[in-house]
Amino acid sequence: MLRLVALMLALCAGGAQAAAVDAPFLWKVQGPKAVHYLMGSVHLLPASAYPLPPALDAAYAQTRALVLETDPGSLETPQMQTQMLQAGLSAGGLGKEIDAALYARVREQAQKSELPTSACDRFKAWLCGLTLTLVEFQRSGMNPELGLDLHFHHRAQADGRAVSWLETPESQLAVFAGMTAAMSAEFLASSLDDLSEPGWRPESMVDMWRDNDTAKLGGLIDDTRKEFPDTYARLLGDRNRAWVDTLVEKLNGATPQLVVVGAGHLVGKGSVVELLKARGFAAEAMAAP
């Protein structure tokens, strides 16, 4: 599925080299009363990714309110973590939800990730796919506590800025928890395909972000849309359209907004950027592709 799991979790940055582009995945949006910014989120980062490219900090400084995908504070609560685990537990066990060949691949990947081979046995397929991918990102030094969402959320809280979000944590969880059994198994299989692809490593995603390679990321997403239209619609397309109605209202206001969402939502056909342009907004990329 062309790294769809990775696109949902993060566009990850690794290594110690400086950013190649001053304004990666950043767009300026001219509203009728104010200038706003859209920023492609990197949900997991290593400490070496800081300080951020200067234009990202400048976009924050030039705005007065923050818009995120969802409330990160709620996501971190024990109640929400418990709710996610309960939604992802399989009554009959993973082995009864997927075929034997896919189950064998799960156990093989768990062993490669230095987990017990039974690590996913109690999970539904979608939670297993997320877990195995997240483990590999974290084994490579990626930390969700250092992601752009939390970084700017913490800054906004310290500065007393208004923070809002485009969907509730419950609706974000439902994107995965509401998958059909077939879609959930497809999601898991694609996760394993990505993890086993020769030469793939979480750090390789950094090149797209640092180099502002919106064309490459957009191509990956468009390929996914064509190959797996239902899964694409559930994870990206439908949410993009739902978000735009809320964003139009905010971007029509007089308060400059910094909108930070997953980078995968901002590129490709049907992206938030494309949909906003269709609604009459001028969205200008701050760095050349």
Side-chain angles (χ1 to χ4, degrees):
M1 199 175 292
L2 296 170
R3 301 191 180 89
L4 188 54
V5 180
L7 298 179
M8 294 301 299
L9 286 171
L11 271 175
C12 289
Q17 68 187 73
V21 175
D22 179 61
F25 287 86
L26 183 67
W27 286 259
K28 180 168 67 174
V29 179
Q30 179 65 59
K33 300 178 181 178
V35 174
H36 314 280
Y37 290 89
L38 296 178
M39 185 184 299
S41 172
V42 183
H43 297 310
L44 293 87
L45 282 171
S48 60
Y50 290 86
L52 294 174
L56 304 188
D57 288 324
Y60 175 85
Q62 293 170 34
T63 52
R64 294 294 176 266
L66 178 67
V67 183
L68 301 174
E69 288 189 25
T70 193
D71 179 9
S74 295
L75 287 175
E76 295 174 340
T77 63
Q79 294 85 350
M80 195 63 205
Q81 294 296 315
T82 299
Q83 188 174 338
M84 181 174 182
L85 181 60
Q86 290 175 341
L89 288 178
S90 170
L94 180 65
K96 294 184 178 180
E97 291 197 359
I98 59 178
D99 61 45
L102 183 56
Y103 181 65
R105 292 182 63 197
V106 167
R107 293 172 66 87
E108 180 182 359
Q109 180 58 49
Q111 189 172 34
K112 289 180 181 178
S113 299
E114 300 181 358
L115 297 171
T117 55
S118 61
C120 280
D121 281 359
R122 298 177 60 209
F123 295 166
K124 293 181 179 178
W126 64 265
L127 183 56
C128 179
L130 285 175
T131 298
L132 293 176
T133 303
L134 183 58
V135 165
E136 283 304 299
F137 276 84
Q138 292 181 315
R139 272 163 46 89
S140 296
M142 311 304 172
N143 186 347
E145 294 298 317
L146 298 177
L148 286 183
D149 305 77
L150 281 178
H151 172 77
F152 286 108
H153 183 241
H154 293 328
R155 287 185 64 176
Q157 286 184 312
D159 294 340
R161 289 194 181 188
V163 180
S164 60
W165 38 88
L166 299 170
E167 59 190 13
T168 65
E170 290 78 12
S171 63
Q172 194 168 77
L173 172 59
V175 169
F176 291 97
M179 285 182 172
T180 64
M183 187 179 294
S184 185
E186 181 181 90
F187 186 83
L188 172 58
S190 70
S191 306
L192 295 173
D193 288 345
D194 296 338
L195 293 173
S196 62
E197 183 179 328
W200 182 85
R201 57 190 179 86
E203 296 90 337
S204 65
M205 299 295 285
V206 67
D207 295 333
M208 279 192 287
W209 179 68
R210 280 208 173 107
D211 296 339
N212 192 50
D213 200 342
T214 55
K216 184 174 182 180
L217 178 57
L220 291 176
I221 292 173
D222 286 341
D223 287 346
T224 299
R225 177 177 51 82
K226 295 172 184 176
E227 190 174 357
F228 302 100
D230 293 340
T231 303
Y232 162 83
R234 186 171 191 85
L235 296 180
L236 291 173
D238 291 347
R239 295 167 73 205
N240 290 350
R241 287 188 292 274
W243 291 355
V244 165
D245 288 336
T246 301
L247 284 174
V248 165
E249 182 177 351
K250 292 181 179 295
L251 300 180
N252 276 330
T255 302
Q257 307 276 331
L258 173 61
V259 182
V260 184
V261 298
H265 291 280
L266 300 182
V267 295
K269 186 175 177 59
S271 68
V272 168
V273 172
E274 184 181 82
L275 293 172
L276 285 175
K277 288 180 178 179
R279 299 286 283 269
F281 289 90
E284 174 190 359
M286 297 299 292

